[in-house]
Amino acid sequence: MKTILVVDDDKMNLMMAKNLLSKKYRIVTVNSGKMALTYLERNIPDLMLLDLMMPEMTGFDVMEKLNEKEEWKKIPVICLTADIDNATEVQCFEMGAIDFIVKPFSPAIMLSRVQRTLELESYKKDLEGAVKEQAEEILKKNIKIMKIQREVIVSMANLIESRDGSTGEHVKRTAIFVKLIAQNLMENHMFEETLTKEYFENICKAAPMHDIGKITVPDYILKSTGNLSDEEFKIMKNHSVEGGKIIRETLGNIEDQNYIDIAANMATYHHEKWDGSGYPEGRSGEDIPLCARIMAVADVFDALAFKRYYKDALSLDATFDIIEESSGTHFDPVVADALCNVRGKIEKMFESNEFE
């Protein structure tokens, strides 16, 4: 049974409302705005019939209080008043009232408007429930699609890395190093305007695609164990530009634009150097996107610390020495410092064989 709270300082009006409505609804009556608010502290009615002209606390005062709490805002209110001024009616609706009944009220009109209001509220709740259910279903499907997309992306990245003799572990490791670096930068409040929570999540998700442009490099160049000719090296270097293009063309219509920008920048510029001697554009300093500066450190660290088909792994001491020596030339010094700051965590990961 629906509950209706009737608020009126006139006992006769309360009695009339109760007699009229109690056959179909549960009626609660109070004779002041203050008592109404006290009741609402523990109960939420399905409808409120609210007299406007009451001493101490008017109906307008009560509606003002209702608007201060989210659960009270949702209570449908029908205003009751003998004031037939248009301005009063307008004010009622502006403050959130659903309807307006002029005193002395007609029993038939009150019954009709109460019934109509409760029916509309019921339809509204049903619609909100249906919309919420559909939204949750869409969200579940989107999450599933995004998971599939990420798995495909990582699989593509692993496949590309395997072409030059690397394993899929390189993709996983560089993503781990990117995450560790970015976490340390955030903990130390570095690059706060850029390195937001969303940016952090996007660079971690985008890291596996940093070398996706290698798919355009011929095998004879990618798998070469000797020195590349100038022309071959030019083709090899072009993988960074091609990587950015591939990301924008293949993911542009299915992913968030912020993520696309970060992933494309990471792929395009992770071979740029802090001193401007890198490629493809010879950018320097903070003209290189932050995501690419982070990726550069993570990528080189992995290349040094792990075995490749053309080289043995360096010791951790030697690897960190090179990172420190290259700070301010190859690498953004702040980003290089961030990697060094998490050296203890990385050493523990090596000791526990997490990278094997």
Side-chain angles (χ1 to χ4, degrees), residues 35-252:
M35 289 181 66
L37 297 179
T38 300
Y39 173 82
L40 294 178
E41 290 292 343
R42 296 188 177 183
N43 308 274
I44 301 296
D46 297 290
L47 175 64
M48 182 186 296
L49 301 182
L50 178 62
D51 182 28
L52 293 181
M53 299 299 111
M54 296 184 291
E56 295 184 13
M57 191 173 201
T58 69
F60 291 121
D61 295 331
V62 173
M63 282 194 284
E64 195 171 316
K65 290 292 183 181
L66 295 182
N67 288 323
E68 292 177 3
K69 291 190 176 184
E70 285 301 318
E71 63 269 31
W72 290 0
K73 279 183 184 180
K74 298 176 182 178
I75 301 171
V77 176
I78 296 178
C79 293
L80 308 173
T81 183
D83 186 353
I84 59 173
D85 185 70
N86 286 341
T88 301
E89 188 172 353
V90 169
Q91 188 176 359
C92 285
F93 291 125
E94 285 180 346
M95 296 191 73
I98 296 292
D99 208 342
F100 187 94
I101 300 177
V102 178
K103 295 181 182 179
F105 49 79
S106 159
I109 290 176
M110 175 172 276
L111 274 172
S112 175
R113 293 193 175 180
V114 165
Q115 183 175 338
R116 184 188 64 181
T117 299
L118 289 172
E119 286 176 352
L120 287 173
E121 285 300 307
S122 181
Y123 294 148
K124 179 182 174 183
K125 287 178 181 178
D126 288 345
L127 181 59
E128 287 175 348
V131 170
K132 183 179 179 182
E133 189 176 317
Q134 289 180 5
E136 289 174 352
E137 187 63 28
I138 290 170
L139 179 60
K140 287 179 184 177
K141 289 180 180 178
N142 285 344
I143 291 172
K144 187 175 181 179
I145 290 170
M146 287 173 65
K147 185 178 179 182
I148 292 171
Q149 287 173 356
R150 291 176 191 179
E151 289 174 353
V152 169
I153 288 167
V154 172
S155 296
M156 285 175 61
N158 287 341
L159 181 63
I160 292 162
E161 291 296 334
S162 68
R163 290 180 63 227
D164 67 356
S166 302
T167 68
E169 295 305 313
H170 167 68
V171 170
K172 295 178 183 177
R173 290 193 305 261
T174 50
I176 290 171
F177 298 140
V178 164
K179 184 175 182 179
L180 289 172
I181 292 168
Q183 283 177 332
N184 187 262
L185 291 171
M186 293 179 76
E187 288 167 3
N188 288 289
H189 307 288
M190 299 296 181
F191 311 114
E192 286 184 306
E193 290 186 6
T194 302
L195 192 50
T196 61
K197 183 179 178 180
E198 180 190 6
Y199 194 94
F200 170 78
E201 292 173 352
N202 281 334
I203 61 174
C204 292
K205 187 171 72 166
M209 291 193 295
H210 69 281
D211 268 341
I212 201 167
K214 283 183 179 179
I215 198 170
T216 65
V217 179
D219 280 351
Y220 78 91
I221 295 177
L222 202 60
K223 295 181 178 181
S224 174
T225 57
N227 293 328
L228 298 177
S229 67
D230 290 344
E231 185 60 30
E232 289 171 338
F233 188 51
K234 183 179 178 181
I235 294 171
M236 182 65 181
K237 289 195 299 182
N238 199 49
H239 83 274
S240 59
V241 173
E242 291 301 320
K245 287 181 182 178
I246 289 169
I247 289 169
R248 292 191 186 279
E249 290 172 2
T250 59
L251 300 179

